[in-house]
Amino acid sequence: MIVVDNVVAGYRTPNGLLKAVDGVSLEVRDGEILGIAGESGCGKSTLLKLLYGSFSEGLEIFSGSVTWHDADGSRTIDASDFHKHWWDLFSYVPQGSMSAMNPLMKIGAQMIDAGSAHRTIDRAARLVRIRSTLADLDLSEKVLDLYPHQLSGGMRQRVLIGLAAYVDPQVILADEPTTALDVVVQRQILENLVRLQRSRKNSIVIVSHDLGLHFQIADRVAILYAGRLAEIGTADEVLRQPAHPYTLGLVGSLPQLGDKRPRQGIDGRPPSLLNPPAGCRFHPRCARAMPVCSQVEPELVLVSPGWVGACHLLKEIA
Ligand SMILES: Nc1ncnc2c1ncn2[C@@H]1O[C@H](COP(=O)(O)OP(=O)(O)OP(=O)(O)O)[C@@H](O)[C@H]1O
Ligand code: SF4
Ligand SMILES: [Mg+2]
């Protein structure tokens, strides 16, 4: 399990501290599929990097902690040491598939290399696993002999998923892993990934704008807005009967099958994280905003067991 405890994290910029994740607490449970959604710039990739312990590009934790705990509670690892367990406990499918691969190495060599961090499987066993994972992802073994630039965007994304999955990590962290693919292929690949993980009882954290995809594959969904957690609960709860007006807006903007009426989106854009609005960060865009919303930041409150949201309206229910 990964535990994120009241983390404030982000980047030092020439214009000041940019808190891309600001006071977020959540956990990634063993064996679950956790979806992370929210508009562009809300901090999804930053949160995923924290869960992977990837502190390149200036990402820093300013306060709070991110830790991994094994199932019997006997071992705890701090995010600053996660990198020692990459490809073993954690693997990562980064956003943007081209930059994530070494352009000078064939796919097969890259896959073998990635698995070398894994203590328990030797080279021969790795090859067997690579072959079966490629088959699961509907990829021909011929890709092993190709360089990244010889693959289409869609194949590269599948290779990256294969790379992350074949080493059998406890947690796969995938950032918009299928955006270059058409919707039908996206779903097929993710279903394969989910099947792989479920059979091994491992966790997946998946960042995607696609709420339909979360509804289809995630056990729980976290909605981020402007670096903060708007709501988290089971995919069914959060996406079928959103507790937070922001989630309602996101869900409302989805096209419904067979429904030709225009969908209601959310006006405006998320704020700059260098200078977010006071009170509830969503108040300038919220149709239900009340005077208190621009002054007091809403705390996370329980909607029902395991389901929490940060909105002043929810105080009335809780
Ligand atoms: N390396 C960096 N240095 C400075 N600021 C950054 C860096 N990476 C991200 N940011 C800023 O942090 C904020 C959150 O970015 P992040 O990439 O986490 O958002 P996101 O939700 O993943 O967006 P998208 O949906 O567009 O991928 C944004 O304001 C972004 O400009
Ligand atoms: S706290 Fe207020 S502004 Fe924020 S989402 Fe709830 S009603 Fe809207
Ligand atoms: Mg992102």
Side-chain angles (χ1 to χ4, degrees):
M1 173 155 94
I2 304 175
V3 177
V4 177
D5 186 12
N6 201 13
V7 163
V8 180
Y11 313 90
R12 292 177 199 273
T13 77
N15 300 316
L17 275 195
L18 189 149
K19 297 174 185 167
V21 169
D22 196 354
V24 169
S25 295
L26 52 78
E27 63 201 28
V28 180
R29 300 174 186 160
D30 292 340
E32 79 166 337
I33 297 174
L34 174 67
I36 299 177
E39 289 164 289
S40 189
C42 283
K44 303 181 300 296
S45 293
T46 303
L47 177 59
L48 206 71
K49 285 177 189 163
L50 293 172
L51 293 171
Y52 186 53
S54 175
F55 296 102
S56 55
E57 297 161 23
L59 175 59
E60 277 180 60
I61 294 184
F62 303 125
S63 61
S65 64
V66 180
T67 44
W68 177 85
H69 304 261
D70 71 354
D72 63 10
S74 62
R75 197 166 146 222
T76 299
I77 303 170
D78 187 78
S80 57
D81 285 329
F82 282 5
H83 64 98
K84 296 176 186 161
H85 304 273
W86 286 352
W87 303 109
D88 173 8
L89 290 177
F90 314 96
S91 64
Y92 180 51
V93 184
Q95 188 168 11
S97 56
M98 195 58 191
S99 56
M101 284 191 224
N102 181 340
L104 304 175
M105 254 170 110
K106 286 184 177 174
I107 303 299
Q110 295 196 42
M111 291 189 90
I112 294 271
D113 238 34
S116 63
H118 208 290
R119 288 180 279 276
T120 51
I121 43 176
D122 62 18
R123 191 186 159 88
R126 265 180 256 154
L127 267 172
V128 172
R129 283 199 192 189
I130 288 172
R131 293 211 164 92
S132 80
T133 305
L134 289 180
D136 277 330
L137 293 169
D138 296 324
L139 279 170
S140 148
E141 282 181 27
K142 288 186 189 143
V143 299
L144 295 174
D145 211 31
L146 298 177
Y147 290 95
H149 74 269
Q150 294 174 296
L151 305 179
S152 68
M155 280 166 87
R156 266 199 304 273
Q157 284 196 317
R158 282 192 234 196
V159 165
L160 275 177
I161 291 173
L163 200 63
Y166 99 89
V167 291
D168 195 16
Q170 294 229 334
V171 190
I172 292 184
L173 302 143
D175 197 348
E176 310 267 7
T178 56
T179 40
L181 307 173
D182 79 60
V183 174
V184 177
V185 180
Q186 273 189 29
R187 299 278 161 97
Q188 279 169 359
I189 291 179
L190 288 169
E191 274 166 20
N192 288 341
L193 176 65
V194 168
R195 195 160 31 77
L196 272 174
Q197 281 295 83
R198 290 256 193 248
S199 64
R200 297 166 181 176
K201 298 201 168 36
N202 294 335
S203 321
I204 303 178
V205 183
I206 189 156
V207 165
S208 177
H209 287 92
D210 182 354
L211 295 181
L213 180 132
H214 289 308
F215 188 69
Q216 192 187 353
I217 69 166
D219 299 309
R220 294 193 304 143
V221 176
I223 306 289
L224 286 188
Y225 185 73
R228 297 187 64 88
L229 197 57
E231 129 172 59
I232 183 168
T234 66
D236 211 45
E237 290 163 343
V238 170
L239 300 176
R240 265 192 206 279
Q241 37 181 329
H244 195 287
Y246 178 57
T247 318
L248 202 63
L250 290 180
V251 171
S253 57
L254 278 180
Q256 306 280 315
L257 220 57
D259 183 351
K260 299 269 189 320
R261 283 173 300 179
R263 305 303 300 173
Q264 191 121 44
I266 315 169
D267 288 337
R269 300 171 56 137
S272 156
L273 294 177
L274 281 169
N275 187 21
C280 170
R281 292 180 179 189
F282 188 54
H283 85 259
R285 303 173 73 193
C286 182
R288 305 198 56 191
M290 307 166 281
V292 65
C293 300
S294 56
Q295 284 154 29
V296 181
E297 183 136 21
E299 309 253 319
L300 278 176
V301 296
L302 202 64
V303 182
S304 70
W307 180 12
V308 292
C311 169
H312 290 302
L313 291 167
L314 296 172
K315 289 217 166 117
E316 293 157 24
I317 306 168

